[in-house]
């Protein structure tokens, strides 16, 4: 075959330094320190998915009288 090179893509720009050292909770959106393993506001573990059924079950546990 040939010596064709694929077109080069621009490199990703690093995140602004203001975002370093933090992660945003996927459930309540609180900005936590990078060292935190769970959200300081809602106790959801870092990296928890926000798929509909998981979020719904979380809210049902918090509000048992409304189910």
């Amino acid at each position: 075959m040939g010596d064709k090179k694929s077109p080069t893509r621009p490199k990703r720009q690093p995140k602004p330094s203001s975002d370093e050292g933090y992660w945003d909770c996927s459930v309540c959106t609180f900005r936590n320190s990078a060292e935190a393993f769970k959200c300081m506001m809602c106790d959801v573990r870092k990296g928890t998915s926000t798929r509909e059924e998981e979020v719904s079950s979380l809210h049902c546990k918090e509000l048992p009288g409304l189910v």
Side-chain angles (χ1 to χ4, degrees), residues 9-15:
R9 289 190 241 169
K11 292 185 178 182
R12 285 187 178 180
Q13 297 295 323
K15 289 185 178 180

Side-chain angles (χ1 to χ4, degrees), residues 2 14 23 38 42 44-45 47 58:
W23 60 274
K38 64 181 182 177
C42 67
V44 170
R45 288 183 306 178
L58 175 67

Side-chain angles (χ1 to χ4, degrees), residues 6-41:
S6 61
T8 57
R9 289 190 241 169
K11 292 185 178 182
R12 285 187 178 180
Q13 297 295 323
K15 289 185 178 180
S17 58
S18 61
D19 285 346
E20 290 180 14
Y22 297 97
W23 60 274
D24 294 329
C25 177
S26 60
V27 175
C28 74
T29 69
F30 180 76
R31 179 163 284 187
N32 295 278
S33 68
E35 296 82 26
F37 291 104
K38 64 181 182 177
C39 178
M40 299 291 289
M41 288 293 151

